[in-house]
Amino acid sequence: PAGDLTGEEAAALLRSLCDEAGCHLWMDLETFVFRNGAELHPRPIEGLIDDLVRFPDFEKTLHYQFPGLMSAPSMPRRPGGGPSVRLYEAYRRFLAEGPPLGAGGREMMHAARGRPISLAREPDPRYPGTGAAGLADGRGAPPEYRDRRWIGFLGADLEVVIDLGRTMDVTSAAVRCLQFVEAGIYFPPEVLFAVSDDNATFRDAGNARPALSPGEPGPVTSIIENRGLEARGRWVRVRARNFGVVPPGRPGAGVAAWLFADEVLVNPERTKGTIDG
């Protein structure tokens, strides 16, 4: 709830109390999500990684799962089906490559960071974020829609223009978004990228679509990115299309969907890392 401790603050408090008392502090990391009231499904890897990165100071992390939520491709039987194999493979990539951009609130380095950025329309006054500048500050928000870093648009697209300060090759562009179906927040079905030399005439540079489906309940974050752009310019325009009207059978059916974003990235830098244990 608003005004309550954040997850990180609660973990720090628990750690101080346990240190004082000489107790152990372990974390139970659930690897499943509920759907349709009772069904267990493999949890999106983004949420798992976010928890692991946000809370690194626990003595142990206990992985609690039911059989089939993670399945190696070599297993003859896979009760969880394809999603359980994808979660297993994504976790192996995480161990080999380290956390993705923005996971756990880690800073993101990219060419648009700290550059002038303008919004084509103002966000909903209930979710103003930290203004346009917050979309290029390199700081990601946790998958909690009440976090003040999320900027929200009700039934409207997010469209920004970034001044990179000089003409450069644009090989990758992205927007980091939140999906939480229960709250009517959906990933944009498409993100469009364009470049300009004069901030007046823009040339299409490409598009990107989310890897997760609109049926993924969340809350989960994702960087919707195109890494294969072949463009050059000084100004970059990013337009994330709103999901539209929530379809029947989902929370908030028949009303406009929310679009939440916390960062727009151009040519992000990636560093390889590993997680012990």
Side-chain angles (χ1 to χ4, degrees):
D4 201 352
L5 295 176
T6 65
E8 291 85 346
E9 290 170 341
L13 176 59
L14 287 170
R15 183 181 61 187
S16 67
L17 294 172
C18 289
D19 288 346
E20 181 180 349
C23 296
H24 297 285
L25 181 61
W26 296 354
M27 178 168 72
D28 167 27
L29 182 64
E30 295 181 345
T31 317
F32 59 85
V33 292
F34 286 103
R35 293 184 185 173
N36 301 322
E39 298 174 4
L40 293 178
H41 292 257
R43 185 181 175 192
I45 187 64
E46 292 82 2
L48 291 175
I49 293 175
D50 194 79
D51 282 348
L52 289 169
V53 175
R54 288 172 64 198
F55 306 110
D57 297 330
F58 285 83
E59 181 182 349
K60 289 185 179 181
T61 298
L62 306 179
H63 171 131
Y64 180 69
Q65 69 151 337
F66 290 92
L69 291 174
M70 266 191 172
S71 302
S74 60
M75 291 175 62
R77 297 185 180 182
R78 306 168 189 169
S84 67
V85 176
R86 289 193 292 272
L87 178 59
Y88 174 91
E89 293 176 331
Y91 185 70
R92 286 182 60 87
R93 286 195 300 271
F94 163 61
L95 292 179
E97 302 174 4
L101 292 167
R106 289 188 173 184
E107 293 189 5
M108 295 169 276
M109 304 301 296
H110 55 94
R113 180 175 174 171
R115 301 302 310 170
I117 181 170
S118 60
L119 285 163
R121 63 176 56 82
E122 292 300 313
D124 188 281
R126 290 168 287 184
Y127 298 99
T130 56
L135 290 170
D137 62 1
R139 299 180 180 276
E144 300 167 359
Y145 75 94
R146 293 186 179 91
D147 189 279
R148 69 183 187 89
R149 284 167 287 186
W150 289 112
I151 187 170
F153 297 84
L154 180 59
D157 297 345
L158 162 68
E159 183 174 324
V160 301
V161 173
I162 305 159
D163 180 1
L164 299 176
R166 61 181 178 86
T167 299
M168 66 175 66
D169 292 329
V170 177
T171 59
S172 177
V175 59
R176 186 171 185 266
C177 294
L178 172 71
Q179 180 158 293
F180 185 24
V181 171
E182 183 178 314
I185 304 169
Y186 287 83
F187 287 141
E190 185 179 31
V191 182
L192 307 172
F193 307 108
V195 297
S196 174
D197 300 319
D198 57 6
N199 197 23
T201 302
F202 283 83
R203 305 181 297 277
D204 291 340
N207 67 343
R209 298 180 184 275
L212 296 176
S213 77
E216 177 55 56
V220 62
T221 63
S222 181
I223 291 181
I224 304 169
E225 180 181 14
N226 186 325
R227 300 189 189 182
L229 301 182
E230 298 179 356
R232 184 172 176 81
R234 172 173 170 173
W235 286 268
V236 177
R237 185 179 68 199
V238 178
R239 178 190 174 195
R241 292 175 47 215
N242 189 282
F243 181 78
V245 176
V246 178
R250 298 184 183 179
V255 301
W258 285 95
L259 190 160
F260 271 47
D262 68 349
E263 189 79 3
V264 175
L265 307 93
V266 177
N267 295 347
E269 299 177 10
R270 290 177 171 82
T271 58
K272 186 174 180 179
T274 59
I275 299 294
D276 294 335

